[in-house]
Amino acid sequence: MRKFFTLLLLLILLVPMRMQAQQVVYNALQMKPSLGVNHEQYDYFQHDNNTVFVAKQQPAQVDVENSGVVKIIAHYDANEMRGHLLALLDSTTQRTSYDLLKGDTISTFDVPNGTYDLVSSFTPSRNTTYRTIYYVIKENIVVNGDTAVVEINPHEATIELKTPTYAPDGTLWDVPIYGYDENNEEYYEDNGNAYAMYVMNYISYEPLQKLVTCSMSTVLYRPRGYESVSDVYDMRVSPVSEKFIFTQTKQHIDKNNLIPYFNKYEFRGTAIDSLSNDPNDYCAYTEHFVLPVENDPNMYYGGCNDWNIYANYFRNGWSANGSIPLSADGAVTVYIDVPQDKKLYSDDFRTFLSPLYTNIETVTDDEGNNSYRSYPIYGPLALVKRNDVEYFVLPTTDVFFMSTSTPFVENDNSSNAIDDNGHPILHYTSKQRLSDDKFGNSAAYNVFKMYSFQRKSTTHALMEVNYLGKLGETRECDLSRATVELTYNNQYIGQIDINSLSDFSFTYAWKAAHPEDGVFDFSLTDTTIYVDGIHGKNITKVHFDQNKNDKNAPTLRYLQFRNRENIVTDHFNENALDGGYLYLVCADIDNLNDGRTCYKPTVLEVSYTAMGSDDWQSLTMTEMPEYGYYNYGYTYRASMGEVVPQKDVEWYDLKIKVVDEDGNYQEQVISPAFKVAATGSGISELNATASEGLKAVYDVAGRLIANGITSTDNLPAGLYIVKDLKNGDVKKIMVK
């Protein structure tokens, strides 16, 4: 999905288009967060340039004796307006009911007795230039065993929520003027300072901490007759109380350098109808990337996605993928408005940035026609502050439209709670990161996520594949170039397209040709890896047997190293391994019938070796229940103090194997995974006396001989490395 938008934006850049603003309307936000998107749970309706998504409603259990009807009569001219969403909100029972106008003028809801609020939306019809959405809201609708009649008309949306937005030089952001006059003659005026503008409008319902609906607009031009570009996309609403919050996020693309600028505004009710930014409040946000491959030295691009969270509800915004022409130095800079005070918005609604860096490949077919392919790296979600940046690793790689997941949920028992500090492992700040570290400068690890899905009484094993880096960055440059080989029922099938796994085309086509259950073995090889200039690789093997009760293989979901100073890094000093940790999040996922449920893997085996060697040494993984993560996975860690550095070896490989109770497994080798720099031997002289307490004993090659012993007296004669398991001291001793 991301790749599609990258290419779409690239095409817009390469082939300028003259078009008017388009809008897409989304809702379908569930009451509780869900880390997956089951598209069969949604209805959608297309009205020209407008699309509405609505959650399929479950039959309401209504007590007839204590219920009534809300009857909604909509008055509008279908030639002038199109009706869209109806959302009936009940803050007492936390019930939300949705419907669509779809041209009908009367809608009814059978509901329990109570007091309700109604949200409705309209857009101008196709034959009008005006693309603004009109929101008509009715509050305090009382139902007491009878029929409450509510009449709505889009012309009741008399309040325009204006957000004039200024560029850093103090001028208003604006786009060129384009359109057709009364004689149907085309006109174009190259004024303005913005190449394009992307706008998201949100309505949130404070009593339920719920995002009700949102709209998306692309503005490349404005027609004559409108004083500013904001006249094209600003919200128009009926008068309401502070129960309703209107939030607008904007992305302006500077016409001169194609750098995006982000702004955000929040209206609580309609008492205030205009907000504006201070052009001095823009903060530069710069990230550095390393791309492991180069296609065309003249085709480097950067960009940025914005993602938004209100309470527990996670929504993506617009992206400026591939919009900034860059050199090969890998620096991507964007700007975001960070006000000195809170006059524009509160902390309830937060905007995150995810910068990207990509190199474009030009592909020429046999007829000489060129097409373009993009292989980007996306940074994790970044919450930019005036003096710091907080990073939140996106829990799933498949979340795009219609998702309600959030990276703040802590565990199974607090599925509706937000921890502002984020998950202890999936969150870090710029102060917990080396200043010269770059996205892409690590060996990628594979997230091969599987879950069951029932379609027309047939159960499918769906697969979603992605590669992530040590800082949580998403590496589509690896995904696009990895090779996949399939063996089925012990018979080698051959290579398959890796993209066919994630878009499910392989799953459906294979099931149609092979309706019987079988045993799958996938081998994925990624050689698109360079770490500090060293060529690396990731080899992942996935085995699952569809004849078993559990038809899916478990997966590694997240990997992170931290040193003893709690810095996220894969570089260690041999004298400072103690206090550093390797963290893993693993899960066995299944979403058949009950949503995506995560089970604990039966076996987790982790080992390390010198890069390129097969002399694997085990690491002890300890589960951390307090780091449990709602519908995401189980967290484990191993002390880096268990690693015994080898002479003249700096880089080490890592092998991770997760197994479920039916023997399905995922195993991957990450090479190189971490570095241990020599700073002197760090080992005391020969014949030193081993300290008292529990010890781990290794031979001089680094192989574990004994663990948890209290005395070395019974060891055979020889030279050993002894580690005190309490204080981490390491000594070399001679047993005679």
Side-chain angles (χ1 to χ4, degrees):
M1 181 67 76
R2 273 177 156 169
K3 185 184 300 180
F4 169 79
F5 277 87
T6 301
L7 295 175
L8 176 62
L9 263 295
L10 177 64
L11 290 174
I12 291 176
L13 288 167
L14 296 175
V15 185
M17 299 172 62
R18 294 184 178 181
M19 58 186 297
Q20 297 173 12
Q22 295 186 9
Q23 293 184 338
V24 186
V25 185
Y26 290 87
N27 68 248
L29 299 170
Q30 301 169 339
M31 288 300 300
K32 291 186 178 180
S34 169
L35 293 183
V37 179
N38 182 350
H39 290 251
E40 293 198 357
Q41 295 176 359
Y42 299 90
D43 288 319
Y44 72 93
F45 298 89
Q46 185 76 31
H47 296 304
D48 299 325
N49 292 329
N50 303 292
T51 304
V52 181
F53 286 85
V54 172
K56 290 183 178 178
Q57 298 301 303
Q58 299 297 323
Q61 301 297 322
V62 178
D63 180 358
V64 177
E65 294 183 358
N66 297 289
S67 65
V69 175
V70 176
K71 181 178 181 180
I72 301 161
I73 303 175
H75 302 281
Y76 63 98
D77 184 346
N79 293 320
E80 177 188 2
M81 289 284 179
R82 292 185 181 272
H84 293 294
L85 169 72
L86 286 173
L88 194 63
L89 308 167
D90 180 3
S91 59
T92 303
T93 64
Q94 297 193 351
R95 172 183 168 82
T96 305
S97 303
Y98 289 102
D99 197 4
L100 294 171
L101 287 169
K102 295 183 294 184
D104 297 331
T105 57
I106 298 178
S107 300
T108 59
F109 293 96
D110 295 321
V111 295
N113 291 340
T115 303
Y116 296 83
D117 298 317
L118 174 72
V119 177
S120 62
S121 65
F122 302 83
T123 57
S125 60
R126 183 177 181 179
N127 59 357
T128 62
T129 302
Y130 222 41
R131 303 307 302 168
T132 300
I133 287 188
Y134 293 73
Y135 292 109
V136 177
I137 298 174
K138 300 289 186 175
E139 298 182 85
N140 302 321
I141 304 168
V142 177
V143 176
N144 188 20
D146 52 5
T147 297
V149 178
V150 181
E151 299 190 41
I152 56 176
N153 188 316
H155 293 293
E156 296 179 72
T158 57
I159 299 176
E160 181 180 357
L161 301 180
K162 288 184 172 292
T163 55
T165 304
Y166 294 89
D169 62 1
T171 60
L172 280 170
W173 287 109
D174 201 359
V175 293
I177 296 175
Y178 171 75
Y180 291 85
D181 60 20
E182 61 276 7
N183 297 319
N184 205 30
E185 295 289 334
E186 186 179 29
Y187 59 83
Y188 175 76
E189 299 175 22
D190 188 16
N191 70 313
N193 51 7
Y195 177 84
M197 305 174 71
Y198 305 100
V199 183
M200 292 287 297
N201 290 321
Y202 302 85
I203 295 182
S204 305
Y205 188 56
E206 182 70 12
L208 297 183
Q209 291 276 288
K210 182 181 180 66
L211 189 58
V212 179
T213 185
C214 63
S215 65
M216 312 170 72
S217 302
T218 304
V219 183
L220 301 179
Y221 302 94
R222 65 178 173 91
R224 288 174 180 168
Y226 298 102
E227 295 182 1
S228 69
V229 69
S230 64
D231 289 336
V232 179
Y233 58 73
D234 278 338
M235 289 181 282
R236 283 162 174 75
V237 302
S238 58
V240 295
S241 70
E242 292 189 0
K243 285 192 293 187
F244 289 91
I245 303 170
F246 305 93
T247 307
Q248 185 179 86
T249 61
K250 295 182 177 181
Q251 183 180 158
H252 305 85
I253 310 300
D254 190 296
K255 185 168 66 176
N256 296 319
N257 53 29
L258 298 181
I259 292 177
Y261 289 76
F262 295 87
N263 300 84
K264 180 171 64 176
Y265 302 97
E266 181 181 281
F267 298 87
R268 290 184 172 265
T270 53
I272 297 175
D273 61 5
S274 181
L275 292 172
S276 186
N277 69 311
D278 183 339
N280 296 314
D281 284 341
Y282 285 108
C283 287
Y285 169 44
T286 301
E287 289 290 359
H288 292 83
F289 293 77
V290 174
L291 284 176
V293 293
E294 179 183 89
N295 298 301
D296 184 340
N298 299 315
M299 292 284 279
Y300 281 94
Y301 287 86
C304 195
N305 299 297
D306 66 293
W307 304 76
N308 301 288
I309 287 177
Y310 170 68
N312 251 4
Y313 293 93
F314 181 52
R315 298 296 295 180
N316 70 292
W318 275 106
S319 59
N321 296 357
S323 64
I324 312 171
L326 297 173
S327 63
D329 63 2
V332 177
T333 297
V334 299
Y335 290 85
I336 184 169
D337 183 24
V338 184
Q340 301 281 357
D341 54 38
K342 294 297 182 183
K343 64 179 181 180
L344 298 184
Y345 55 83
S346 69
D347 287 333
D348 292 339
F349 202 111
R350 283 167 281 184
T351 294
F352 297 81
L353 302 182
S354 175
L356 69 95
Y357 186 61
T358 188
N359 189 239
I360 307 299
E361 178 182 12
T362 304
V363 180
T364 304
D365 62 20
D366 295 337
E367 298 179 357
N369 300 313
N370 290 338
S371 60
Y372 303 93
R373 295 176 182 172
S374 174
Y375 303 97
I377 295 177
Y378 295 86
L381 302 185
L383 182 63
V384 180
K385 300 183 177 181
R386 299 203 69 84
N387 300 307
D388 194 8
V389 179
E390 292 189 61
Y391 299 95
F392 298 83
V393 179
L394 187 64
T396 57
T397 55
D398 62 327
V399 174
F400 209 75
F401 291 124
M402 300 183 297
S403 172
T404 60
S405 64
T406 163
F408 298 96
V409 179
E410 283 286 311
N411 54 55
D412 294 338
N413 297 322
S414 60
S415 59
N416 280 320
I418 292 179
D419 178 359
D420 287 339
N421 295 319
H423 187 279
I425 304 306
L426 302 176
H427 165 264
Y428 61 94
T429 72
S430 55
K431 297 173 183 176
Q432 294 174 283
R433 177 181 168 190
L434 299 177
S435 59
D436 59 349
D437 220 344
K438 300 178 181 180
F439 294 136
N441 187 36
S442 65
Y445 60 93
N446 187 303
V447 180
F448 192 101
K449 189 171 54 177
M450 294 190 62
Y451 52 95
S452 298
F453 179 71
Q454 196 158 15
R455 182 186 188 191
K456 296 180 179 179
S457 73
T458 300
T459 300
H460 298 271
L462 300 185
M463 295 157 277
E464 298 174 11
V465 188
N466 218 320
Y467 288 91
L468 301 181
K470 67 179 178 183
L471 295 171
E473 68 270 29
T474 299
R475 297 176 51 144
E476 286 195 3
C477 56
D478 296 79
L479 178 67
S480 301
R481 297 177 180 274
T483 60
V484 183
E485 295 178 284
L486 170 63
T487 298
Y488 181 69
N489 289 338
N490 295 319
Q491 180 180 354
Y492 180 72
I493 303 300
Q495 287 195 9
I496 63 172
D497 180 7
I498 193 169
N499 294 311
S500 70
L501 298 179
S502 293
D503 67 14
F504 309 149
S505 59
F506 167 81
T507 296
Y508 295 140
W510 183 271
K511 196 68 174 179
H514 305 81
E516 71 283 356
D517 290 332
V519 181
F520 289 81
D521 286 278
F522 287 97
S523 178
L524 298 89
T525 302
D526 172 23
T527 58
T528 312
I529 291 173
Y530 286 89
V531 186
D532 290 356
I534 299 173
H535 189 206
K537 61 184 177 181
N538 177 298
I539 298 177
T540 300
K541 298 184 182 300
V542 179
H543 168 90
F544 57 95
D545 185 349
Q546 292 184 317
N547 297 294
K548 299 294 183 65
N549 182 54
D550 186 342
K551 301 177 182 295
N552 305 322
T555 185
L556 169 68
R557 302 211 67 179
Y558 187 64
L559 179 154
Q560 186 186 92
F561 291 98
R562 296 198 184 204
N563 66 16
R564 62 168 54 173
E565 284 78 34
N566 204 28
I567 301 297
V568 179
T569 179
D570 55 6
H571 286 49
F572 299 86
N573 293 324
E574 67 174 1
N575 284 344
L577 284 165
D578 286 302
Y581 290 96
L582 163 65
Y583 292 93
L584 302 178
V585 181
C586 304
D588 190 16
I589 307 170
D590 186 61
N591 81 327
L592 189 60
N593 301 322
D594 63 349
R596 295 193 180 178
T597 301
C598 290
Y599 299 96
K600 188 184 301 183
T602 305
V603 177
L604 173 60
E605 298 175 348
V606 180
S607 53
Y608 73 96
T609 188
M611 183 178 176
S613 170
D614 287 327
D615 188 14
W616 295 98
Q617 303 300 313
S618 297
L619 291 176
T620 304
M621 302 303 301
T622 303
E623 185 186 352
M624 306 185 70
E626 68 274 23
Y627 287 5
Y629 202 35
Y630 174 76
N631 268 13
Y632 182 57
Y634 296 82
T635 303
Y636 305 83
R637 76 176 183 182
S639 170
M640 292 300 293
E642 291 189 27
V643 174
V644 178
Q646 298 184 30
K647 184 179 180 180
D648 299 327
V649 175
E650 285 193 328
W651 286 101
Y652 294 83
D653 297 344
L654 196 65
K655 180 163 63 175
I656 302 167
K657 185 174 184 179
V658 285
V659 187
D660 67 20
E661 62 182 3
D662 281 330
N664 305 310
Y665 67 83
Q666 177 197 105
E667 179 184 271
Q668 60 180 293
V669 174
I670 305 165
S671 176
F674 62 94
K675 179 180 181 180
V676 181
T679 57
S681 69
I683 301 175
S684 57
E685 297 301 320
L686 289 174
N687 300 320
T689 302
S691 59
E692 297 181 358
L694 296 177
K695 307 170 183 65
V697 182
Y698 303 83
D699 64 16
V700 291
R703 290 183 288 264
L704 182 67
I705 302 299
N707 192 27
I709 65 174
T710 58
S711 173
T712 59
D713 294 343
N714 296 325
L715 291 173
L719 185 64
Y720 296 94
I721 298 170
V722 179
K723 178 179 178 181
D724 189 305
L725 296 179
K726 181 177 181 180
N727 58 31
D729 289 342
V730 179
K731 297 181 179 181
K732 186 184 293 183
I733 67 170
M734 177 73 74
V735 176
K736 298 180 179 179

